[in-house]
Amino acid sequence: MAPLRIGMIFGGRSVEHEVSVLTAHQAMAALPTDRYTPVPIYISKSGQWFTGEVLRTLERYKEVDTLLAQATPLIFNVNTQQPGLLLEQGQARRGWLGLGGESSKYASESIDVAFPLIHGSHGEDGTLQGLLDLADLPYTGSDVTASAIGINKALTKGLLRAAGVPVLEEIYLSRTRWEQASKEVVAEVEARFGYPVFVKPARLGSSIGVSRAEDSDALAFAIDVAATYDSHFLIEPALEELIEINCAVLGDESGAQPSVCEQPISQGLLSYEDKYMSGGKRKGMSGAQRLIPAPLEPDLTRAIQESALKTFSAIGAAGVSRIDFLVRPADGMFYVNEINTLPGSLAFYLWEASDVSFGELLHRMIGQAQTRHKNKQRNMYTFNSNLLSTNPLLGAKR
């Protein structure tokens, strides 16, 4: 049997673009080549799609314009009868959906399974998943609904509260309200939480746009920063003596398993630099400093793993997710901070410590994607009503 062609989709219009490039190259290097052939599908920061073997060399991304001049432009075909890639041949005039006039020529290239690897906006938020659903292609990871919930910290908190999973209180605000009533917002924060507080964009990851505020001036600045990255943001109390603990979950609605827990090492808030640059620019999230397994009491570890499974189930996640906790080991108190439905490096370092190799992790995710797609194909999407056999306007409401 020929290896399955796996469309590794990465890059994208996201502030986490570079993180996605690192994750994708780690995954392509680990993909078992006896079973799968990786097909790199790179989306530039401006939203253009490319493919080609040249995209598999990480060093080339230092000169991205030169790289893309050597790659093959494409459009993604959502025609369910022939989903996949349309590769641009030669110079083509660009038009609607990238299609040009008579001089345009495209070659079709299929993929068997899509593997989204875009972190944050336009990739981890359900938009890319919706495109793949339109194309009726199997894809790894969470579906549209779970992705959209998981990227939104406020929606996630609401579901977790209903599921009995502990989360911190928050004030959820829009950029519009801040611009129209900044003094009232500051007064509300001071009345409910006091200081210090954390301000976070509602739909972003990698600690981008997250700030700690110790007074009203710092709060105003932190909100301005968060509002630069998202139209909505959260403000949470900054509790003391808490450490960060992470746990990954692999599976879907048919069953899931937690990984070992980790304790990232940082001074204060875990920053973007802590997560992705402390161990070298090529390592991504896997290069961050951490303790694996986390030095916690066994009962507390089990409680965190159980809450990770509950969180995964509550939003309907699939594939691999990483759930981040705030933990006070002295009394066993903990809160779910957020879920990452497409974590940096796919959290492979947690699975390797759980006796699941990176290649096996990818294999399981692809198998789950195929199984879910087969189940989805059992759904009926057409209904023969004969409504159009008569004049439907006769019965229209006026």
Side-chain angles (χ1 to χ4, degrees), residues 262-285:
E262 65 162 334
Q263 180 185 348
I265 303 300
S266 68
Q267 296 297 321
L269 172 69
L270 196 65
S271 67
Y272 179 93
E273 288 76 14
D274 291 328
K275 289 183 176 180
Y276 298 109
M277 300 181 72
S278 61
K281 294 183 179 180
R282 296 175 181 225
K283 294 185 178 181
M285 188 65 182

PDB file of all heavy atoms in Angstrom, residues 262-285:
ATOM      1  N   GLU A 262       3.972  18.504  33.518  1.00  0.00           N
ATOM      2  CA  GLU A 262       5.236  19.232  33.501  1.00  0.00           C
ATOM      3  C   GLU A 262       5.102  20.520  34.298  1.00  0.00           C
ATOM      4  O   GLU A 262       4.008  21.081  34.437  1.00  0.00           O
ATOM      5  CB  GLU A 262       5.647  19.585  32.072  1.00  0.00           C
ATOM      6  CG  GLU A 262       4.687  20.561  31.396  1.00  0.00           C
ATOM      7  CD  GLU A 262       5.281  21.257  30.179  1.00  0.00           C
ATOM      8  OE1 GLU A 262       6.515  21.396  30.129  1.00  0.00           O
ATOM      9  OE2 GLU A 262       4.503  21.685  29.310  1.00  0.00           O
ATOM     10  N   GLN A 263       6.220  21.002  34.801  1.00  0.00           N
ATOM     11  CA  GLN A 263       6.287  22.321  35.422  1.00  0.00           C
ATOM     12  C   GLN A 263       7.269  23.175  34.628  1.00  0.00           C
ATOM     13  O   GLN A 263       8.477  22.988  34.721  1.00  0.00           O
ATOM     14  CB  GLN A 263       6.736  22.250  36.883  1.00  0.00           C
ATOM     15  CG  GLN A 263       6.816  23.623  37.541  1.00  0.00           C
ATOM     16  CD  GLN A 263       7.380  23.595  38.950  1.00  0.00           C
ATOM     17  OE1 GLN A 263       7.517  22.530  39.548  1.00  0.00           O
ATOM     18  NE2 GLN A 263       7.710  24.759  39.481  1.00  0.00           N
ATOM     19  N   PRO A 264       6.760  24.122  33.809  1.00  0.00           N
ATOM     20  CA  PRO A 264       7.673  25.041  33.117  1.00  0.00           C
ATOM     21  C   PRO A 264       8.424  25.905  34.125  1.00  0.00           C
ATOM     22  O   PRO A 264       7.883  26.267  35.170  1.00  0.00           O
ATOM     23  CB  PRO A 264       6.729  25.894  32.251  1.00  0.00           C
ATOM     24  CG  PRO A 264       5.455  25.112  32.173  1.00  0.00           C
ATOM     25  CD  PRO A 264       5.358  24.373  33.471  1.00  0.00           C
ATOM     26  N   ILE A 265       9.662  26.222  33.802  1.00  0.00           N
ATOM     27  CA  ILE A 265      10.502  27.015  34.698  1.00  0.00           C
ATOM     28  C   ILE A 265      10.631  28.427  34.135  1.00  0.00           C
ATOM     29  O   ILE A 265      11.053  28.622  32.989  1.00  0.00           O
ATOM     30  CB  ILE A 265      11.906  26.401  34.837  1.00  0.00           C
ATOM     31  CG1 ILE A 265      11.788  24.958  35.338  1.00  0.00           C
ATOM     32  CG2 ILE A 265      12.749  27.237  35.786  1.00  0.00           C
ATOM     33  CD1 ILE A 265      11.109  24.815  36.673  1.00  0.00           C
ATOM     34  N   SER A 266      10.227  29.409  34.929  1.00  0.00           N
ATOM     35  CA  SER A 266      10.348  30.804  34.515  1.00  0.00           C
ATOM     36  C   SER A 266      10.363  31.680  35.746  1.00  0.00           C
ATOM     37  O   SER A 266      10.033  31.239  36.850  1.00  0.00           O
ATOM     38  CB  SER A 266       9.190  31.201  33.597  1.00  0.00           C
ATOM     39  OG  SER A 266       7.971  31.212  34.320  1.00  0.00           O
ATOM     40  N   GLN A 267      10.706  32.944  35.541  1.00  0.00           N
ATOM     41  CA  GLN A 267      10.627  33.934  36.604  1.00  0.00           C
ATOM     42  C   GLN A 267       9.319  34.698  36.411  1.00  0.00           C
ATOM     43  O   GLN A 267       9.216  35.556  35.547  1.00  0.00           O
ATOM     44  CB  GLN A 267      11.828  34.899  36.532  1.00  0.00           C
ATOM     45  CG  GLN A 267      13.165  34.227  36.771  1.00  0.00           C
ATOM     46  CD  GLN A 267      13.277  33.644  38.174  1.00  0.00           C
ATOM     47  OE1 GLN A 267      12.814  34.228  39.146  1.00  0.00           O
ATOM     48  NE2 GLN A 267      13.899  32.480  38.280  1.00  0.00           N
ATOM     49  N   GLY A 268       8.299  34.357  37.196  1.00  0.00           N
ATOM     50  CA  GLY A 268       7.000  35.022  37.043  1.00  0.00           C
ATOM     51  C   GLY A 268       6.227  34.440  35.883  1.00  0.00           C
ATOM     52  O   GLY A 268       6.272  33.237  35.603  1.00  0.00           O
ATOM     53  N   LEU A 269       5.493  35.291  35.159  1.00  0.00           N
ATOM     54  CA  LEU A 269       4.666  34.880  34.034  1.00  0.00           C
ATOM     55  C   LEU A 269       5.518  34.221  32.955  1.00  0.00           C
ATOM     56  O   LEU A 269       6.570  34.733  32.575  1.00  0.00           O
ATOM     57  CB  LEU A 269       3.952  36.109  33.446  1.00  0.00           C
ATOM     58  CG  LEU A 269       3.188  35.908  32.138  1.00  0.00           C
ATOM     59  CD1 LEU A 269       1.967  35.040  32.367  1.00  0.00           C
ATOM     60  CD2 LEU A 269       2.780  37.262  31.560  1.00  0.00           C
ATOM     61  N   LEU A 270       5.069  33.059  32.461  1.00  0.00           N
ATOM     62  CA  LEU A 270       5.774  32.375  31.383  1.00  0.00           C
ATOM     63  C   LEU A 270       5.572  33.165  30.087  1.00  0.00           C
ATOM     64  O   LEU A 270       4.469  33.265  29.572  1.00  0.00           O
ATOM     65  CB  LEU A 270       5.230  30.957  31.231  1.00  0.00           C
ATOM     66  CG  LEU A 270       6.081  29.976  30.434  1.00  0.00           C
ATOM     67  CD1 LEU A 270       7.397  29.704  31.140  1.00  0.00           C
ATOM     68  CD2 LEU A 270       5.330  28.676  30.216  1.00  0.00           C
ATOM     69  N   SER A 271       6.645  33.753  29.582  1.00  0.00           N
ATOM     70  CA  SER A 271       6.550  34.639  28.423  1.00  0.00           C
ATOM     71  C   SER A 271       6.726  33.865  27.122  1.00  0.00           C
ATOM     72  O   SER A 271       7.073  32.684  27.112  1.00  0.00           O
ATOM     73  CB  SER A 271       7.637  35.716  28.518  1.00  0.00           C
ATOM     74  OG  SER A 271       8.923  35.123  28.368  1.00  0.00           O
ATOM     75  N   TYR A 272       6.534  34.583  26.010  1.00  0.00           N
ATOM     76  CA  TYR A 272       6.782  34.006  24.692  1.00  0.00           C
ATOM     77  C   TYR A 272       8.231  33.523  24.589  1.00  0.00           C
ATOM     78  O   TYR A 272       8.503  32.433  24.084  1.00  0.00           O
ATOM     79  CB  TYR A 272       6.498  35.071  23.622  1.00  0.00           C
ATOM     80  CG  TYR A 272       6.740  34.640  22.199  1.00  0.00           C
ATOM     81  CD1 TYR A 272       5.706  34.124  21.428  1.00  0.00           C
ATOM     82  CD2 TYR A 272       8.002  34.743  21.615  1.00  0.00           C
ATOM     83  CE1 TYR A 272       5.916  33.730  20.108  1.00  0.00           C
ATOM     84  CE2 TYR A 272       8.228  34.349  20.311  1.00  0.00           C
ATOM     85  CZ  TYR A 272       7.180  33.843  19.568  1.00  0.00           C
ATOM     86  OH  TYR A 272       7.402  33.450  18.276  1.00  0.00           O
ATOM     87  N   GLU A 273       9.167  34.351  25.096  1.00  0.00           N
ATOM     88  CA  GLU A 273      10.585  33.971  25.046  1.00  0.00           C
ATOM     89  C   GLU A 273      10.854  32.724  25.880  1.00  0.00           C
ATOM     90  O   GLU A 273      11.624  31.854  25.489  1.00  0.00           O
ATOM     91  CB  GLU A 273      11.446  35.134  25.521  1.00  0.00           C
ATOM     92  CG  GLU A 273      11.520  36.305  24.534  1.00  0.00           C
ATOM     93  CD  GLU A 273      10.248  37.150  24.529  1.00  0.00           C
ATOM     94  OE1 GLU A 273       9.410  37.006  25.455  1.00  0.00           O
ATOM     95  OE2 GLU A 273      10.088  37.951  23.591  1.00  0.00           O
ATOM     96  N   ASP A 274      10.209  32.628  27.066  1.00  0.00           N
ATOM     97  CA  ASP A 274      10.370  31.438  27.903  1.00  0.00           C
ATOM     98  C   ASP A 274       9.915  30.194  27.158  1.00  0.00           C
ATOM     99  O   ASP A 274      10.540  29.130  27.214  1.00  0.00           O
ATOM    100  CB  ASP A 274       9.566  31.573  29.199  1.00  0.00           C
ATOM    101  CG  ASP A 274      10.122  32.631  30.146  1.00  0.00           C
ATOM    102  OD1 ASP A 274      11.346  32.825  30.145  1.00  0.00           O
ATOM    103  OD2 ASP A 274       9.329  33.247  30.868  1.00  0.00           O
ATOM    104  N   LYS A 275       8.784  30.318  26.461  1.00  0.00           N
ATOM    105  CA  LYS A 275       8.175  29.149  25.825  1.00  0.00           C
ATOM    106  C   LYS A 275       8.932  28.692  24.584  1.00  0.00           C
ATOM    107  O   LYS A 275       9.089  27.484  24.349  1.00  0.00           O
ATOM    108  CB  LYS A 275       6.724  29.471  25.430  1.00  0.00           C
ATOM    109  CG  LYS A 275       5.767  29.586  26.613  1.00  0.00           C
ATOM    110  CD  LYS A 275       4.347  29.836  26.137  1.00  0.00           C
ATOM    111  CE  LYS A 275       3.372  29.846  27.301  1.00  0.00           C
ATOM    112  NZ  LYS A 275       1.963  30.085  26.870  1.00  0.00           N
ATOM    113  N   TYR A 276       9.396  29.646  23.774  1.00  0.00           N
ATOM    114  CA  TYR A 276       9.854  29.263  22.443  1.00  0.00           C
ATOM    115  C   TYR A 276      11.318  29.563  22.133  1.00  0.00           C
ATOM    116  O   TYR A 276      11.838  29.089  21.129  1.00  0.00           O
ATOM    117  CB  TYR A 276       8.976  29.949  21.378  1.00  0.00           C
ATOM    118  CG  TYR A 276       7.544  29.521  21.493  1.00  0.00           C
ATOM    119  CD1 TYR A 276       6.573  30.403  21.955  1.00  0.00           C
ATOM    120  CD2 TYR A 276       7.156  28.225  21.190  1.00  0.00           C
ATOM    121  CE1 TYR A 276       5.246  30.005  22.080  1.00  0.00           C
ATOM    122  CE2 TYR A 276       5.842  27.812  21.319  1.00  0.00           C
ATOM    123  CZ  TYR A 276       4.899  28.716  21.769  1.00  0.00           C
ATOM    124  OH  TYR A 276       3.599  28.307  21.901  1.00  0.00           O
ATOM    125  N   MET A 277      11.998  30.350  22.966  1.00  0.00           N
ATOM    126  CA  MET A 277      13.356  30.734  22.606  1.00  0.00           C
ATOM    127  C   MET A 277      14.403  30.367  23.648  1.00  0.00           C
ATOM    128  O   MET A 277      15.599  30.502  23.411  1.00  0.00           O
ATOM    129  CB  MET A 277      13.407  32.248  22.326  1.00  0.00           C
ATOM    130  CG  MET A 277      12.485  32.648  21.182  1.00  0.00           C
ATOM    131  SD  MET A 277      12.513  34.411  20.794  1.00  0.00           S
ATOM    132  CE  MET A 277      14.131  34.563  20.039  1.00  0.00           C
ATOM    133  N   SER A 278      13.960  29.882  24.809  1.00  0.00           N
ATOM    134  CA  SER A 278      14.925  29.610  25.869  1.00  0.00           C
ATOM    135  C   SER A 278      15.819  28.417  25.557  1.00  0.00           C
ATOM    136  O   SER A 278      16.938  28.328  26.033  1.00  0.00           O
ATOM    137  CB  SER A 278      14.199  29.368  27.202  1.00  0.00           C
ATOM    138  OG  SER A 278      13.331  28.251  27.106  1.00  0.00           O
ATOM    139  N   GLY A 279      15.336  27.481  24.741  1.00  0.00           N
ATOM    140  CA  GLY A 279      16.134  26.299  24.435  1.00  0.00           C
ATOM    141  C   GLY A 279      16.716  26.302  23.045  1.00  0.00           C
ATOM    142  O   GLY A 279      17.193  25.285  22.556  1.00  0.00           O
ATOM    143  N   GLY A 280      16.650  27.467  22.380  1.00  0.00           N
ATOM    144  CA  GLY A 280      17.124  27.535  21.001  1.00  0.00           C
ATOM    145  C   GLY A 280      15.959  27.753  20.062  1.00  0.00           C
ATOM    146  O   GLY A 280      14.880  27.211  20.254  1.00  0.00           O
ATOM    147  N   LYS A 281      16.165  28.556  19.029  1.00  0.00           N
ATOM    148  CA  LYS A 281      15.074  28.969  18.151  1.00  0.00           C
ATOM    149  C   LYS A 281      14.507  27.812  17.343  1.00  0.00           C
ATOM    150  O   LYS A 281      13.397  27.897  16.848  1.00  0.00           O
ATOM    151  CB  LYS A 281      15.556  30.069  17.211  1.00  0.00           C
ATOM    152  CG  LYS A 281      15.904  31.374  17.948  1.00  0.00           C
ATOM    153  CD  LYS A 281      16.304  32.465  16.986  1.00  0.00           C
ATOM    154  CE  LYS A 281      16.619  33.768  17.722  1.00  0.00           C
ATOM    155  NZ  LYS A 281      17.015  34.856  16.803  1.00  0.00           N
ATOM    156  N   ARG A 282      15.252  26.730  17.188  1.00  0.00           N
ATOM    157  CA  ARG A 282      14.771  25.624  16.367  1.00  0.00           C
ATOM    158  C   ARG A 282      13.880  24.662  17.134  1.00  0.00           C
ATOM    159  O   ARG A 282      13.218  23.836  16.541  1.00  0.00           O
ATOM    160  CB  ARG A 282      15.954  24.834  15.793  1.00  0.00           C
ATOM    161  CG  ARG A 282      16.825  25.630  14.843  1.00  0.00           C
ATOM    162  CD  ARG A 282      18.012  24.800  14.435  1.00  0.00           C
ATOM    163  NE  ARG A 282      18.867  25.557  13.542  1.00  0.00           N
ATOM    164  CZ  ARG A 282      19.375  25.061  12.431  1.00  0.00           C
ATOM    165  NH1 ARG A 282      19.107  23.838  12.078  1.00  0.00           N
ATOM    166  NH2 ARG A 282      20.161  25.797  11.672  1.00  0.00           N
ATOM    167  N   LYS A 283      13.884  24.756  18.444  1.00  0.00           N
ATOM    168  CA  LYS A 283      13.203  23.746  19.243  1.00  0.00           C
ATOM    169  C   LYS A 283      11.763  24.083  19.566  1.00  0.00           C
ATOM    170  O   LYS A 283      10.998  23.213  19.957  1.00  0.00           O
ATOM    171  CB  LYS A 283      13.981  23.511  20.544  1.00  0.00           C
ATOM    172  CG  LYS A 283      15.356  22.897  20.317  1.00  0.00           C
ATOM    173  CD  LYS A 283      16.039  22.583  21.635  1.00  0.00           C
ATOM    174  CE  LYS A 283      17.392  21.924  21.408  1.00  0.00           C
ATOM    175  NZ  LYS A 283      18.060  21.593  22.689  1.00  0.00           N
ATOM    176  N   GLY A 284      11.363  25.362  19.407  1.00  0.00           N
ATOM    177  CA  GLY A 284       9.998  25.729  19.708  1.00  0.00           C
ATOM    178  C   GLY A 284       9.655  25.443  21.160  1.00  0.00           C
ATOM    179  O   GLY A 284      10.490  25.556  22.060  1.00  0.00           O
ATOM    180  N   MET A 285       8.408  25.033  21.394  1.00  0.00           N
ATOM    181  CA  MET A 285       7.961  24.787  22.762  1.00  0.00           C
ATOM    182  C   MET A 285       8.754  23.668  23.415  1.00  0.00           C
ATOM    183  O   MET A 285       8.923  23.651  24.636  1.00  0.00           O
ATOM    184  CB  MET A 285       6.471  24.455  22.743  1.00  0.00           C
ATOM    185  CG  MET A 285       5.822  24.370  24.104  1.00  0.00           C
ATOM    186  SD  MET A 285       5.802  25.951  24.957  1.00  0.00           S
ATOM    187  CE  MET A 285       5.052  25.465  26.521  1.00  0.00           C
TER     188      MET A 285
END
